[in-house]
Amino acid sequence: MNETINLLMNHKSIRKYKNEPVTDEQLETIVAAGQMASSSSNVQAYSVIAVTDPELKTKLTALAGNQAYIEECPVFLVWCADMYRLRETALPHTAGAETYEDTMENFTVATIDVALAAQNAAVAAESLGLGVVYIGGIRNNIEDISKLLGLPEFAYPVFGMCLGVPDQEPVLRPRLPLKAVLHKNGYSKEQTLAGAKEYDETLSAYMMERSGGEQSATWSEMMAKRLTQPARLQLKAFLKGKGFMKR
């Protein structure tokens, strides 16, 4: 174990923040660290919108499921997959050749790029004593949020990230046992399912402790609920409208 691994192993989602600012220097350092993440063919197909305006944060809070910490954190980052910049800067050099920014492959590249950059940024933020929480609810009303932030075609908001000085110390949430995730020389169905069964017991005990004995749901029960509830079914049509996934 070293300092970096200790930091990674102690990641906690922070949903309560002190009334202290994130400085411009901190913000720029965090995003610059995000930029150093791996990027497919160096396309760097992402952009980050830092939202500090209280009125804008209030609107985003309402659109993202009324998660109050969006409004309360000093900086809310909206991480966007962005093929617009790539297309616009490349077009003058294509000599009229057909371009393929609308393919499923390039959608995948942009989405992976932004996720890698955001996780680099999250680790950088935590190394500075700040806390973060990812906000998938940014996709609840994705069209309205895109219009609110002025996103062009071939750009979409993948998730948000609250950023600030932590004002809580949550208990670490246990993860799946390593044997359920790490496979050697091929995928083992038996191993992954055995690990998931073991995790059911671990997470149920965690939920009991966290809720003071009021909840004891297992991981598989939680995932069954998630799989049987339709969510954000408008996303496919929205993405196609933005120019993605046409080929």
Side-chain angles (χ1 to χ4, degrees):
M1 300 286 277
N2 57 40
E3 185 178 350
T4 302
I5 292 175
N6 281 331
L7 181 67
L8 292 167
M9 297 295 285
N10 284 281
H11 165 73
K12 301 167 185 174
S13 292
I14 300 299
R15 295 177 172 86
K16 187 177 181 183
Y17 300 91
K18 293 182 179 179
N19 187 23
E20 297 180 19
V22 172
T23 68
D24 287 343
E25 182 181 9
Q26 287 174 320
L27 176 60
E28 290 169 7
T29 298
I30 288 164
V31 175
Q35 286 187 270
M36 295 309 295
S38 296
S39 171
S40 179
S41 300
N42 199 35
V43 298
Q44 303 174 73
Y46 55 86
S47 292
V48 191
I49 299 174
V51 181
T52 57
D53 178 75
E55 184 178 346
L56 185 53
K57 283 196 293 178
T58 297
K59 291 177 180 178
L60 289 170
T61 298
L63 290 169
N66 293 310
Q67 300 178 73
Y69 24 94
I70 297 174
E71 195 168 3
E72 294 165 359
C73 70
V75 179
F76 184 60
L77 302 179
V78 182
W79 291 87
C80 305
D82 182 2
M83 290 295 295
Y84 172 81
R85 178 176 56 240
L86 184 75
R87 186 193 66 170
E88 291 301 302
T89 55
L91 276 177
H93 308 286
T94 60
E98 184 177 9
T99 59
Y100 294 90
E101 63 276 1
D102 59 357
T103 63
M104 186 67 197
E105 166 64 8
N106 278 323
F107 167 78
T108 303
V109 163
T111 303
I112 293 172
D113 263 16
V114 71
L116 292 174
Q119 188 57 22
N120 250 33
V123 175
E126 290 175 347
S127 77
L128 296 174
L130 302 175
V132 305
V133 62
Y134 283 91
I135 305 294
I138 208 75
R139 299 188 302 277
N140 287 1
N141 294 286
I142 192 167
E143 186 166 359
D144 291 337
I145 285 176
S146 293
K147 290 177 180 177
L148 185 64
L149 298 177
L151 294 182
E153 60 181 341
F154 296 107
Y156 84 97
V158 184
F159 44 72
M161 179 188 285
C162 295
L163 178 65
V165 178
D167 194 25
Q168 62 177 174
E169 186 62 38
V171 177
L172 278 175
R173 184 189 295 267
R175 298 301 203 226
L176 283 159
L178 193 60
K179 67 182 179 183
V181 177
L182 177 60
H183 303 262
K184 296 180 179 179
N185 302 313
Y187 191 98
S188 169
K189 295 178 182 178
E190 295 78 11
Q191 179 179 314
T192 200
L193 294 178
K197 185 175 181 181
E198 180 182 314
Y199 187 53
D200 270 350
E201 298 177 6
T202 302
L203 195 63
S204 180
Y206 163 81
M207 293 302 297
M208 283 285 285
E209 179 182 356
R210 177 179 171 178
S211 67
E214 295 182 6
Q215 298 181 34
S216 60
T218 65
W219 182 70
S220 58
E221 289 171 338
M222 293 178 187
M223 295 304 103
K225 183 177 180 181
R226 180 177 178 84
L227 283 177
T228 54
Q229 292 182 342
R232 303 166 188 153
L233 297 183
Q234 77 281 15
L235 190 57
K236 183 177 180 180
F238 167 79
L239 290 170
K240 286 190 172 182
K242 276 287 189 179
F244 291 108
M245 301 189 303
K246 292 186 176 178
R247 287 183 277 183

